[in-house]
Amino acid sequence: MNLEFRRCSRLVLVAAWVMAAMDGATRAQAAQAPAKYSLTLSTDRADALYRKGQKVGFSVRLLLDGQPVRDAEVGWTISKDGVPPISTGMLKLTEGAGTVFGKLKEPGFLQCRVTFPTPDGATLSAVAGAGVSPWRIRPSLPAPADFDAFWSAQTKQLAGVPVNAKLTPVEARAGGVECCDLQADCVGAPVSGYYARPREARARSLPIILTVHGAGVRSAELETAADWARQGFLAADINAHGIPNGKPDSYYAELAKGSLKEYRTQGRESRDTIYFRGMFLRLVRAIDFLTAQPEWDGRTVIVYGSSQGGAQAIVAAGLDPRVTFFGAAVPAMCDHTGSVVGRVNGWPKLVPGDTDGLDGKVRETARYYDAVNFASRTRAAGIMSVGFIDNICPPTTVYAAYNALKGKKEIFNDPPSRHANSASAKAAMRKALFRHLERMNRSK
């Protein structure tokens, strides 16, 4: 008994020593860990929406290891969605908190940025945006007088080109659908994508969904088309450039460095040579192919995309009356000419702002390729999403397009989002899409 007791005592002492050593190491590690600062910025209204001329409060919070920082100052900048007028200053925080105030006397957006230099040499920053009567934002310029005539001539030229679709079977990861690589003739580069439908689909039973891509150079996405087909759609996902699908990443990287480098500005001096002319016509050609399929229900055509793809969704709806619904997440190519009225321009900043004459030429070209002008011409239902601190597709430009819509519409405001699709935005877009599908089914 005594021997066993002594053994247990030694074990307890060893364990206590080990725990003490570990605790000491933890304390030493904590002592060496750098202090963790946290800087946040938010509007004083949860929806971040204000009326023209109303004071907008941007609330600042600075913490150190979870506790308010005393006697600190932050720098602040307020702009009109990234462009002048720009005001700056310093804000003294009280118990780690303070408020910066701004005001806008016209419909638009305010963007506030605060910065704090930490003692270790880093600089923290936070950004927030506020909409100021955004529902009253109007296009910076009207559509050209011959906008409709120009695009009627383009689609007429396209109609003279046979579709000549080439379908090559491919396998998706999961079963239940038939998939093909799709190549269809167009004006210029072909429609290039993946086409999918449920196996044994009945004639006139399926709605159409066409998914389109954001900026960049890459293949169409087989699984995107296949996934929509599994959900009961006649689906196609097309790449933005009419290039081959399914190649190695290096193939697309070489194109991005070569013939498609800076494609966004290629040919922008003329409405007939600008790169986006072919991209827009490929939307109509893709719909030509899909609506010719016997499985189409004869009623529903949905176009869905984000960023550059969001622009394409709006354009398709304005260019092709067969489109019944579009989903445009953080859409690009809206209000190219915002700078004419002292506002921010939409991506891809087509108008260069120089003084050698190019500015005027490009400005006139851009008006024929502005999603705002296509938005004003569609009667399709649609949904957009908008990030209030999006510097790529600024919210001022998105609202210019949204307000031009004439059909049934909704917008998902996403105040804390930059150029991204949050989970909440995705859910709202998807919900709106399926509501439209239900409405179409009820109208049979």
Side-chain angles (χ1 to χ4, degrees), residues 165-172 177-184 191-199 219-226 229 234-238 245-246 289-290 293:
K166 302 178 182 66
L167 298 175
T168 305
V170 292
E171 288 294 327
V177 296
E178 295 176 342
C179 302
C180 293
D181 177 274
L182 164 66
Q183 302 292 311
V191 170
S192 179
Y194 289 110
Y195 161 63
R197 65 183 181 186
R199 292 190 186 277
S219 169
E221 298 171 357
L222 172 60
E223 292 303 322
T224 296
L234 195 63
D237 182 87
I238 62 172
N245 301 304
F289 166 78
L290 289 167
Q293 303 312 302

Short mmCIF file of all heavy atoms in Angstrom, two decimals, residues 165-172 177-184 191-199 219-226 229 234-238 245-246 289-290 293:
data_model
loop_
_atom_site.label_atom_id
_atom_site.label_comp_id
_atom_site.label_asym_id
_atom_site.label_seq_id
_atom_site.Cartn_x
_atom_site.Cartn_y
_atom_site.Cartn_z
N ALA A 165 -25.13 24.37 -85.30
CA ALA A 165 -24.66 23.91 -83.99
C ALA A 165 -23.92 22.59 -84.09
O ALA A 165 -24.37 21.66 -84.77
CB ALA A 165 -25.83 23.77 -83.04
N LYS A 166 -22.81 22.50 -83.40
CA LYS A 166 -22.03 21.26 -83.31
C LYS A 166 -22.02 20.82 -81.85
O LYS A 166 -21.57 21.56 -80.97
CB LYS A 166 -20.60 21.48 -83.81
CG LYS A 166 -20.50 21.98 -85.25
CD LYS A 166 -19.06 22.22 -85.63
CE LYS A 166 -18.96 22.78 -87.04
NZ LYS A 166 -19.55 24.15 -87.16
N LEU A 167 -22.51 19.61 -81.59
CA LEU A 167 -22.62 19.09 -80.23
C LEU A 167 -21.72 17.87 -80.08
O LEU A 167 -21.85 16.90 -80.83
CB LEU A 167 -24.07 18.72 -79.91
CG LEU A 167 -25.08 19.88 -79.94
CD1 LEU A 167 -26.50 19.36 -79.74
CD2 LEU A 167 -24.74 20.91 -78.88
N THR A 168 -20.84 17.94 -79.10
CA THR A 168 -19.94 16.83 -78.81
C THR A 168 -20.22 16.32 -77.40
O THR A 168 -20.04 17.07 -76.42
CB THR A 168 -18.46 17.28 -78.90
OG1 THR A 168 -18.23 17.87 -80.18
CG2 THR A 168 -17.53 16.10 -78.68
N PRO A 169 -20.68 15.08 -77.26
CA PRO A 169 -21.04 14.57 -75.92
C PRO A 169 -19.86 14.62 -74.95
O PRO A 169 -18.72 14.31 -75.32
CB PRO A 169 -21.47 13.13 -76.19
CG PRO A 169 -21.91 13.12 -77.62
CD PRO A 169 -20.99 14.09 -78.31
N VAL A 170 -20.14 15.02 -73.72
CA VAL A 170 -19.16 15.02 -72.63
C VAL A 170 -19.85 14.49 -71.39
O VAL A 170 -21.07 14.49 -71.29
CB VAL A 170 -18.57 16.43 -72.36
CG1 VAL A 170 -17.72 16.90 -73.53
CG2 VAL A 170 -19.69 17.42 -72.08
N GLU A 171 -19.06 14.04 -70.42
CA GLU A 171 -19.62 13.47 -69.20
C GLU A 171 -19.46 14.44 -68.03
O GLU A 171 -18.38 14.95 -67.78
CB GLU A 171 -18.92 12.16 -68.85
CG GLU A 171 -19.27 11.00 -69.78
CD GLU A 171 -20.73 10.57 -69.65
OE1 GLU A 171 -21.28 10.67 -68.53
OE2 GLU A 171 -21.31 10.14 -70.66
N ALA A 172 -20.58 14.69 -67.34
CA ALA A 172 -20.53 15.45 -66.10
C ALA A 172 -20.22 14.52 -64.94
O ALA A 172 -20.31 13.29 -65.08
CB ALA A 172 -21.86 16.17 -65.87
N VAL A 177 -28.10 13.53 -66.34
CA VAL A 177 -28.20 14.56 -67.37
C VAL A 177 -27.35 14.17 -68.57
O VAL A 177 -26.39 13.41 -68.47
CB VAL A 177 -27.73 15.94 -66.84
CG1 VAL A 177 -28.65 16.43 -65.74
CG2 VAL A 177 -26.30 15.89 -66.36
N GLU A 178 -27.73 14.73 -69.71
CA GLU A 178 -26.94 14.60 -70.94
C GLU A 178 -26.24 15.92 -71.18
O GLU A 178 -26.88 16.98 -71.15
CB GLU A 178 -27.85 14.26 -72.11
CG GLU A 178 -28.53 12.91 -71.99
CD GLU A 178 -29.50 12.65 -73.14
OE1 GLU A 178 -29.89 13.64 -73.82
OE2 GLU A 178 -29.87 11.49 -73.34
N CYS A 179 -24.96 15.88 -71.44
CA CYS A 179 -24.16 17.09 -71.61
C CYS A 179 -23.38 17.04 -72.92
O CYS A 179 -22.93 15.97 -73.34
CB CYS A 179 -23.18 17.27 -70.46
SG CYS A 179 -23.95 17.36 -68.82
N CYS A 180 -23.22 18.22 -73.50
CA CYS A 180 -22.45 18.33 -74.74
C CYS A 180 -21.63 19.61 -74.73
O CYS A 180 -22.05 20.62 -74.16
CB CYS A 180 -23.38 18.37 -75.95
SG CYS A 180 -24.30 16.86 -76.28
N ASP A 181 -20.47 19.55 -75.37
CA ASP A 181 -19.78 20.78 -75.73
C ASP A 181 -20.55 21.38 -76.90
O ASP A 181 -20.89 20.69 -77.87
CB ASP A 181 -18.34 20.48 -76.15
CG ASP A 181 -17.62 21.73 -76.60
OD1 ASP A 181 -17.74 22.08 -77.80
OD2 ASP A 181 -16.94 22.34 -75.77
N LEU A 182 -20.86 22.67 -76.80
CA LEU A 182 -21.65 23.36 -77.81
C LEU A 182 -20.80 24.36 -78.55
O LEU A 182 -20.13 25.20 -77.94
CB LEU A 182 -22.83 24.09 -77.14
CG LEU A 182 -23.55 25.16 -77.97
CD1 LEU A 182 -24.26 24.53 -79.16
CD2 LEU A 182 -24.52 25.95 -77.10
N GLN A 183 -20.83 24.30 -79.87
CA GLN A 183 -20.22 25.30 -80.73
C GLN A 183 -21.29 25.71 -81.74
O GLN A 183 -21.87 24.87 -82.41
CB GLN A 183 -18.99 24.75 -81.46
CG GLN A 183 -17.90 24.23 -80.53
CD GLN A 183 -17.24 25.32 -79.74
OE1 GLN A 183 -16.84 26.36 -80.28
NE2 GLN A 183 -17.13 25.11 -78.42
N ALA A 184 -21.57 27.01 -81.81
CA ALA A 184 -22.59 27.50 -82.74
C ALA A 184 -22.05 28.73 -83.46
O ALA A 184 -21.47 29.63 -82.84
CB ALA A 184 -23.88 27.84 -82.00
N VAL A 191 -20.40 30.90 -80.57
CA VAL A 191 -20.85 30.59 -79.22
C VAL A 191 -20.11 29.32 -78.81
O VAL A 191 -20.09 28.33 -79.55
CB VAL A 191 -22.37 30.35 -79.18
CG1 VAL A 191 -22.79 29.78 -77.83
CG2 VAL A 191 -23.12 31.64 -79.47
N SER A 192 -19.50 29.34 -77.63
CA SER A 192 -18.74 28.19 -77.17
C SER A 192 -19.10 27.94 -75.71
O SER A 192 -18.90 28.81 -74.86
CB SER A 192 -17.24 28.44 -77.30
OG SER A 192 -16.49 27.34 -76.82
N GLY A 193 -19.65 26.77 -75.43
CA GLY A 193 -20.07 26.49 -74.07
C GLY A 193 -20.40 25.03 -73.85
O GLY A 193 -20.04 24.17 -74.66
N TYR A 194 -21.11 24.79 -72.76
CA TYR A 194 -21.62 23.45 -72.46
C TYR A 194 -23.14 23.51 -72.38
O TYR A 194 -23.70 24.44 -71.78
CB TYR A 194 -21.04 22.93 -71.15
CG TYR A 194 -19.57 22.58 -71.25
CD1 TYR A 194 -18.61 23.35 -70.59
CD2 TYR A 194 -19.14 21.48 -72.00
CE1 TYR A 194 -17.26 23.04 -70.68
CE2 TYR A 194 -17.79 21.17 -72.09
CZ TYR A 194 -16.85 21.95 -71.43
OH TYR A 194 -15.52 21.63 -71.53
N TYR A 195 -23.76 22.52 -72.97
CA TYR A 195 -25.22 22.42 -73.03
C TYR A 195 -25.63 21.17 -72.28
O TYR A 195 -24.98 20.12 -72.40
CB TYR A 195 -25.65 22.37 -74.49
CG TYR A 195 -27.04 21.83 -74.75
CD1 TYR A 195 -28.16 22.49 -74.25
CD2 TYR A 195 -27.23 20.68 -75.52
CE1 TYR A 195 -29.43 22.00 -74.50
CE2 TYR A 195 -28.49 20.19 -75.78
CZ TYR A 195 -29.59 20.85 -75.27
OH TYR A 195 -30.85 20.37 -75.51
N ALA A 196 -26.67 21.27 -71.46
CA ALA A 196 -27.10 20.12 -70.66
C ALA A 196 -28.62 20.08 -70.56
O ALA A 196 -29.28 21.12 -70.53
CB ALA A 196 -26.48 20.18 -69.27
N ARG A 197 -29.14 18.86 -70.47
CA ARG A 197 -30.58 18.66 -70.28
C ARG A 197 -30.79 17.38 -69.48
O ARG A 197 -29.94 16.47 -69.49
CB ARG A 197 -31.29 18.54 -71.62
CG ARG A 197 -30.88 17.32 -72.42
CD ARG A 197 -31.54 17.27 -73.77
NE ARG A 197 -31.12 16.06 -74.51
CZ ARG A 197 -31.46 15.81 -75.77
NH1 ARG A 197 -32.21 16.68 -76.44
NH2 ARG A 197 -31.06 14.70 -76.35
N PRO A 198 -31.91 17.29 -68.76
CA PRO A 198 -32.20 16.04 -68.04
C PRO A 198 -32.39 14.89 -69.03
O PRO A 198 -32.92 15.07 -70.13
CB PRO A 198 -33.51 16.35 -67.31
CG PRO A 198 -33.63 17.84 -67.32
CD PRO A 198 -32.93 18.31 -68.55
N ARG A 199 -31.94 13.72 -68.65
CA ARG A 199 -32.15 12.55 -69.51
C ARG A 199 -33.64 12.28 -69.67
O ARG A 199 -34.41 12.44 -68.74
CB ARG A 199 -31.47 11.32 -68.91
CG ARG A 199 -29.95 11.41 -68.90
CD ARG A 199 -29.33 10.07 -68.53
NE ARG A 199 -27.88 10.20 -68.39
CZ ARG A 199 -27.02 10.16 -69.40
NH1 ARG A 199 -27.48 10.00 -70.63
NH2 ARG A 199 -25.71 10.29 -69.19
N SER A 219 -12.56 28.74 -69.68
CA SER A 219 -13.50 27.83 -70.30
C SER A 219 -14.91 28.04 -69.77
O SER A 219 -15.11 28.58 -68.68
CB SER A 219 -13.06 26.38 -70.00
OG SER A 219 -14.07 25.45 -70.35
N ALA A 220 -15.89 27.59 -70.56
CA ALA A 220 -17.24 27.44 -70.01
C ALA A 220 -17.19 26.41 -68.89
O ALA A 220 -16.23 25.63 -68.76
CB ALA A 220 -18.20 27.02 -71.10
N GLU A 221 -18.23 26.37 -68.06
CA GLU A 221 -18.24 25.52 -66.87
C GLU A 221 -19.26 24.39 -67.05
O GLU A 221 -20.46 24.61 -66.97
CB GLU A 221 -18.56 26.36 -65.64
CG GLU A 221 -17.51 27.44 -65.38
CD GLU A 221 -17.93 28.43 -64.31
OE1 GLU A 221 -19.06 28.32 -63.79
OE2 GLU A 221 -17.11 29.32 -63.99
N LEU A 222 -18.74 23.21 -67.27
CA LEU A 222 -19.60 22.05 -67.50
C LEU A 222 -20.53 21.79 -66.33
O LEU A 222 -21.73 21.57 -66.50
CB LEU A 222 -18.73 20.81 -67.77
CG LEU A 222 -19.46 19.46 -67.85
CD1 LEU A 222 -20.48 19.48 -68.97
CD2 LEU A 222 -18.45 18.34 -68.04
N GLU A 223 -20.00 21.82 -65.13
CA GLU A 223 -20.81 21.48 -63.97
C GLU A 223 -21.89 22.52 -63.68
O GLU A 223 -22.92 22.19 -63.09
CB GLU A 223 -19.93 21.27 -62.74
CG GLU A 223 -19.05 20.02 -62.83
CD GLU A 223 -19.85 18.74 -63.06
OE1 GLU A 223 -20.96 18.62 -62.50
OE2 GLU A 223 -19.36 17.89 -63.81
N THR A 224 -21.67 23.76 -64.09
CA THR A 224 -22.73 24.76 -63.93
C THR A 224 -23.93 24.40 -64.78
O THR A 224 -25.07 24.39 -64.30
CB THR A 224 -22.21 26.15 -64.32
OG1 THR A 224 -21.16 26.53 -63.41
CG2 THR A 224 -23.32 27.19 -64.25
N ALA A 225 -23.68 24.08 -66.05
CA ALA A 225 -24.79 23.67 -66.93
C ALA A 225 -25.43 22.39 -66.42
O ALA A 225 -26.66 22.26 -66.38
CB ALA A 225 -24.28 23.50 -68.35
N ALA A 226 -24.62 21.42 -66.01
CA ALA A 226 -25.15 20.14 -65.56
C ALA A 226 -26.00 20.30 -64.30
O ALA A 226 -27.05 19.66 -64.16
CB ALA A 226 -23.99 19.17 -65.30
N ALA A 229 -29.34 21.65 -65.17
CA ALA A 229 -30.12 20.60 -65.83
C ALA A 229 -30.71 19.63 -64.81
O ALA A 229 -31.85 19.19 -64.95
CB ALA A 229 -29.26 19.85 -66.84
N LEU A 234 -33.36 23.35 -69.20
CA LEU A 234 -32.59 23.21 -70.42
C LEU A 234 -31.50 24.27 -70.31
O LEU A 234 -31.79 25.48 -70.36
CB LEU A 234 -33.49 23.49 -71.62
CG LEU A 234 -33.04 23.08 -73.02
CD1 LEU A 234 -32.88 21.57 -73.12
CD2 LEU A 234 -34.04 23.57 -74.05
N ALA A 235 -30.26 23.85 -70.09
CA ALA A 235 -29.24 24.78 -69.60
C ALA A 235 -28.04 24.88 -70.53
O ALA A 235 -27.65 23.89 -71.17
CB ALA A 235 -28.77 24.34 -68.22
N ALA A 236 -27.46 26.08 -70.56
CA ALA A 236 -26.19 26.28 -71.25
C ALA A 236 -25.36 27.27 -70.46
O ALA A 236 -25.88 28.27 -69.94
CB ALA A 236 -26.39 26.78 -72.68
N ASP A 237 -24.07 26.99 -70.36
CA ASP A 237 -23.10 27.92 -69.79
C ASP A 237 -22.10 28.22 -70.89
O ASP A 237 -21.47 27.29 -71.43
CB ASP A 237 -22.39 27.31 -68.58
CG ASP A 237 -21.41 28.28 -67.95
OD1 ASP A 237 -21.84 29.07 -67.09
OD2 ASP A 237 -20.21 28.25 -68.32
N ILE A 238 -21.98 29.50 -71.27
CA ILE A 238 -21.08 29.84 -72.37
C ILE A 238 -19.94 30.72 -71.86
O ILE A 238 -20.12 31.53 -70.96
CB ILE A 238 -21.82 30.54 -73.52
CG1 ILE A 238 -22.44 31.88 -73.07
CG2 ILE A 238 -22.89 29.62 -74.10
CD1 ILE A 238 -23.04 32.71 -74.22
N ASN A 245 -13.37 25.09 -75.08
CA ASN A 245 -13.58 24.74 -73.68
C ASN A 245 -12.70 23.57 -73.27
O ASN A 245 -12.23 22.80 -74.10
CB ASN A 245 -15.05 24.36 -73.46
CG ASN A 245 -15.99 25.48 -73.84
OD1 ASN A 245 -15.88 26.60 -73.34
ND2 ASN A 245 -16.91 25.20 -74.76
N GLY A 246 -12.52 23.44 -71.97
CA GLY A 246 -11.88 22.26 -71.42
C GLY A 246 -10.39 22.13 -71.66
O GLY A 246 -9.82 21.05 -71.52
N PHE A 289 -30.12 28.97 -80.31
CA PHE A 289 -29.92 27.53 -80.20
C PHE A 289 -30.85 26.90 -79.18
O PHE A 289 -31.52 25.90 -79.44
CB PHE A 289 -28.46 27.22 -79.83
CG PHE A 289 -28.26 25.81 -79.39
CD1 PHE A 289 -28.18 24.77 -80.32
CD2 PHE A 289 -28.18 25.48 -78.03
CE1 PHE A 289 -28.03 23.45 -79.91
CE2 PHE A 289 -28.03 24.18 -77.62
CZ PHE A 289 -27.95 23.15 -78.55
N LEU A 290 -30.93 27.49 -78.00
CA LEU A 290 -31.70 26.88 -76.92
C LEU A 290 -33.20 26.86 -77.23
O LEU A 290 -33.89 25.86 -76.95
CB LEU A 290 -31.46 27.65 -75.62
CG LEU A 290 -30.06 27.46 -75.01
CD1 LEU A 290 -29.80 28.50 -73.92
CD2 LEU A 290 -29.91 26.04 -74.44
N GLN A 293 -34.60 23.95 -79.37
CA GLN A 293 -34.62 22.59 -78.86
C GLN A 293 -36.06 22.15 -78.56
O GLN A 293 -36.85 22.92 -78.00
CB GLN A 293 -33.76 22.48 -77.60
CG GLN A 293 -32.32 22.92 -77.80
CD GLN A 293 -31.68 22.31 -79.03
OE1 GLN A 293 -31.62 21.08 -79.16
NE2 GLN A 293 -31.22 23.16 -79.94
#
